[in-house]
Amino acid sequence: MDGANGLTLGKWGRGFASLLIVVQLWGILGRPLEFATQGPTGPSPAAAVFYGPIRKYSEFAYLNHGYAFFAPNPGPSHLIGAQIADAAAEGIEQRYPDLRIHQPRLLYHRHFMLAEFLHNTYQPPSLPPEAQRDPLLRSRWEVDRKRHEAIFQSMRSHVAAAEGVAVDKVRLRRWEHGLMGLPEFLAQRRSLDDPRLWIDLTAAEQFAAEPLGGLEIPRVQWPAVAVPPGGER
Amino acid sequence: MSRVGSFQEGAGPRGIVSQGAKAWLGRWSEGWNQFWFAPRHSHVLAGIRIATGAMLFYTHCVIALDLASFLGSDAWITPALARELHDGTYGMASGAWSYLWFLSSPAFLWWHQAFALLVTLLMTIGLGTRVVVPLAWWMQLMFMHRLTGALFGLDQVTTLLVTYLMLAPCGSRWSIDAWLRRRLDQQHETPAGQLLQEPRQGPRRRWLVSFFLPAAEPSTATTVATRLIQIHLCVIYLFGGLWKGRGEMWWDGTAMWFAAANHEYRSLDLTWLADYPLVFATLAHATLFWEIFYPALVWPRLTRPLVLGMAVLVHAGIAIFLGMITFGVIMIVANSAFVEPSLLTPQTCSADRRSPGPSASSTSPRNARGRR
């Protein structure tokens, strides 16, 4: 007891506790700082040096977040559409997330985050020729593309297992649900779920002839239906 | 402390600088000690423990509704992929680790889930808090590193809360532990109970009782945990605000419209806002400035009610209109860390302030700040 000021910890106790507090504050601040300073070539060198020594602890303690909620701008939503080969002819596509199925709301939000995760990790199947000449860009793209394919394949396998069908019977599509601008809404008063707001991000995608990592990309012939996730099921 | 009067007469310029630096460091040290180590009542943390425990219990219930899809061998993210996303297979290895990367049998997962539900239930009711809160923290980390891809702000905030609750005697009030402690104290007042106070019973036993059934007294650990929650919240809002400041929609005022126009988030129709651009633009600007200035304006007592009132409005809005009820609620719970314990039970705290000892008026953080 440090009588005069009522502190119950002694000098050495306070010193040790202060050291631990400073480490924790470092852990709290490190990742948001590094994340906020990300540029085309990575984070600011100063932020990277600051975060480096505490990175592993921050990651294990789940402190490694950027806190960019609805930022820098509120953007469109991304969803997953899953078609099963047998049912595809009928144009049935299961949407993830789907508020009609995924209840309570937290379960819906978990599926929503998974769909956003698939979108956020997306890398194009090939690099533009000029980028291919940059070894750093190419190696980074190879790793990121492999990761996307692994996530894609894991999700596809999950749908197949849940539906009780072979993996090659499942086709996943990434959908983007665009946001209606204010002038557009005021002029047309369309529904927020208007089919014209949906973009099939997979449709224009050309998979690489030789997928990386030996992962098989579906080569099933699909009927040319484009049922928006918000449409008929 | 006098700023100038404490300098020794006749000291040269170097002496004055040296004395000034020492005085400044002394004041800094005193401020640091008061801020972090002045004992504090645990009412607020007890409330946060109940709310966080209940939220963790609920999130585990929801995972249990579709356990195999989130944790099983055929989950959306398989256990092997969850491991590979962290172990360096796809880029730099992270410090994350979870035993759930290696265990996916349905029987194990169900027992594990039942255990997680039990632990969080005990945390909520406050039974064995010195054991179950650290257990809840550990299991939370294991879930977080396993559920990669399915997580969002709710998980970040519940994890930070349970991390800091673990440090404090958050079961010393409003808990079964507190009830057991009171029963024990009453027994000590009887002749048989007084035996516990005898030296032959040993200080270890008394320490164990005090640790596992903490007394409802002000403590330094409560202050440290509360301060860490407060500062962590300040970091969240600061970076949340800075990130928003990089987007043009928060400056041109349309951000709130685009949040309202997001079909996947909305739980109530807000498209009527389109006819009131003044309203949604004001909301966007207010949110941006509130987040950026939160770390500065939440500390002074004059502005704190306004900042916390805005926090309740913003997060209640997110809960009601954007469908993220759990996230909105847990953010309001986290903001309650800025509520002074004396506001919850003024009688207890007033009595403590009158009494001598560690909870005397000169030691409370509130008064320490008042002095500064």
Side-chain angles (χ1 to χ4, degrees):
Chain A
M1 171 96 179
D2 204 339
N5 56 14
L7 301 177
T8 53
L9 269 181
K11 191 176 177 182
W12 288 102
R14 290 202 303 272
F16 182 64
S18 296
L19 185 67
L20 296 179
I21 286 168
V22 168
V23 170
Q24 181 65 18
L25 296 179
W26 187 5
I28 291 171
L29 202 56
R31 176 56 181 162
L33 202 60
E34 189 204 47
F35 188 66
T37 62
Q38 289 280 348
T41 57
S44 131
V49 166
F50 177 75
Y51 183 48
I54 203 76
R55 187 174 69 86
K56 295 273 184 186
Y57 165 69
S58 162
E59 288 163 348
F60 180 74
Y62 199 58
L63 303 171
N64 55 326
H65 315 296
Y67 306 120
F69 304 120
F70 287 96
N73 289 310
S77 301
H78 298 94
L79 297 90
I80 296 171
Q83 284 187 337
I84 310 301
D86 296 338
E90 300 165 27
I92 295 174
E93 181 171 88
Q94 174 59 53
R95 172 171 64 170
Y96 298 96
D98 186 338
L99 205 48
R100 292 168 294 188
I101 297 169
H102 302 128
Q103 286 287 353
R105 187 84 186 203
L106 179 55
L107 190 64
Y108 167 87
H109 215 75
R110 295 265 181 238
H111 286 91
F112 190 10
M113 292 301 104
L114 284 164
E116 289 286 2
F117 183 58
L118 180 66
H119 173 76
N120 290 336
T121 57
Y122 174 74
Q123 288 293 318
S126 61
L127 275 176
E130 61 274 16
Q132 293 209 12
R133 286 193 287 272
D134 184 332
L136 184 66
L137 272 181
R138 180 165 175 81
S139 67
R140 194 178 291 170
W141 167 79
E142 281 181 359
V143 171
D144 290 346
R145 177 65 192 177
K146 275 185 187 175
R147 182 177 61 177
H148 172 71
E149 289 180 3
I151 292 167
F152 182 92
Q153 192 68 357
S154 176
M155 292 185 169
R156 193 166 163 240
S157 300
H158 166 73
V159 173
E163 297 292 332
V165 299
V167 175
D168 62 2
K169 297 284 186 190
V170 176
R171 184 194 189 195
L172 293 190
R173 288 199 286 193
R174 292 186 300 112
W175 286 98
E176 181 169 291
H177 191 178
L179 300 176
M180 210 180 313
L182 188 61
E184 191 182 353
F185 180 80
L186 288 172
Q188 302 172 13
R189 298 280 173 179
R190 282 193 278 145
S191 159
L192 298 180
D193 202 21
D194 189 291
R196 284 169 286 182
L197 292 171
W198 290 92
I199 302 165
D200 181 359
L201 296 175
T202 322
E205 199 173 289
Q206 298 294 319
F207 283 108
E210 293 295 332
L212 294 164
L215 294 172
E216 288 184 11
I217 300 299
R219 295 187 181 285
V220 181
Q221 289 297 315
W222 297 95
V225 293
V227 182
E232 188 185 356
R233 289 181 61 249
Chain B
M1 182 184 291
S2 165
R3 266 64 168 172
V4 179
S6 59
F7 293 135
Q8 290 176 1
E9 285 183 21
R14 285 177 60 186
I16 289 175
V17 170
S18 165
Q19 287 174 35
K22 277 183 186 169
W24 180 78
L25 283 174
R27 285 197 300 277
W28 215 97
S29 168
E30 185 191 351
W32 173 274
N33 286 335
Q34 289 294 334
F35 182 81
W36 287 104
F37 304 124
R40 187 183 180 94
H41 276 289
S42 60
H43 299 80
V44 174
L45 286 194
I48 293 177
R49 185 205 80 237
I50 294 168
T52 306
M55 185 62 79
L56 285 171
F57 181 79
Y58 176 68
T59 56
H60 287 312
C61 283
V62 170
I63 289 289
L65 291 175
D66 203 0
L67 195 64
S69 291
F70 289 101
L71 298 173
S73 53
D74 287 319
W76 283 98
I77 302 294
T78 63
L81 178 59
R83 187 186 71 243
E84 289 169 0
L85 290 172
H86 294 284
D87 70 1
T89 303
Y90 303 109
M92 193 186 291
S94 88
W97 180 87
S98 172
Y99 54 72
L100 293 171
W101 293 345
F102 310 99
L103 301 162
S104 59
S105 85
F108 168 81
L109 290 178
W110 276 112
W111 278 108
H112 184 264
Q113 198 67 15
F115 187 62
L117 287 169
L118 176 67
V119 165
T120 49
L121 181 65
L122 292 178
M123 177 178 165
T124 309
I125 63 175
L127 177 57
T129 44
R130 286 293 201 180
V131 175
V132 296
V133 178
L135 251 179
W137 166 76
W138 176 256
M139 297 187 83
Q140 177 73 357
L141 290 188
M142 297 300 103
F143 275 107
M144 295 301 96
H145 299 320
R146 172 65 187 91
L147 292 172
T148 303
L151 305 172
F152 64 109
L154 165 72
D155 306 292
Q156 299 171 13
V157 178
T158 47
T159 305
L160 86 84
L161 290 177
V162 74
T163 300
Y164 302 132
L165 286 171
M166 174 177 67
L167 306 176
C170 59
S172 64
R173 289 182 193 273
W174 304 338
S175 65
I176 293 180
D177 284 350
W179 177 76
L180 290 172
R181 171 75 190 218
R182 280 197 301 276
R183 294 258 307 183
L184 202 65
D185 287 344
Q186 285 165 3
Q187 283 173 9
H188 284 171
E189 290 169 6
T190 65
Q194 283 170 1
L195 287 175
L196 278 171
Q197 311 284 355
E198 294 292 323
R200 64 183 171 176
Q201 294 294 330
R204 178 182 289 181
R205 178 167 179 171
R206 284 201 296 278
W207 183 87
L208 284 174
V209 169
S210 295
F211 180 78
F212 286 107
L213 298 175
E217 295 170 348
S219 79
T220 298
T222 301
T223 307
V224 171
T226 305
R227 296 303 193 201
L228 286 170
I229 294 174
Q230 292 171 337
I231 290 178
H232 207 140
L233 266 185
C234 288
V235 169
I236 290 174
Y237 284 119
L238 175 64
F239 282 92
L242 291 176
W243 267 104
K244 286 181 177 67
R246 295 166 78 159
E248 69 273 16
M249 291 180 188
W250 293 97
W251 291 108
D252 70 14
T254 56
M256 282 294 175
W257 161 254
F258 282 106
N262 190 308
H263 185 260
E264 278 65 43
Y265 274 108
R266 76 165 187 178
S267 46
L268 287 177
D269 186 4
L270 282 178
T271 50
W272 54 268
L273 269 178
D275 294 317
Y276 303 95
L278 188 64
V279 173
F280 65 70
T282 304
L283 289 173
H285 300 322
T287 304
L288 174 66
F289 283 98
W290 165 69
E291 286 202 21
I292 290 176
F293 289 106
Y294 181 102
L297 297 181
V298 77
W299 300 101
R301 273 186 250 163
L302 193 64
T303 49
R304 188 183 307 165
L306 299 175
V307 172
L308 295 185
M310 181 76 180
V312 171
L313 290 177
V314 168
H315 295 301
I318 289 173
I320 295 167
F321 298 114
L322 297 185
M324 290 190 284
I325 300 165
T326 48
F327 177 66
V329 167
I330 206 68
M331 287 305 292
I332 292 172
V333 168
N335 271 279
S336 70
F338 280 100
V339 174
E340 291 288 346
S342 57
L343 288 178
L344 297 180
T345 54
Q347 290 172 342
T348 310
C349 296
S350 300
D352 286 337
R353 278 200 294 274
R354 281 195 300 274
S355 68
S359 57
S361 61
S362 63
T363 67
S364 79
R366 180 179 181 166
N367 286 303
R369 276 199 304 283
R371 268 209 317 254
R372 285 198 298 275

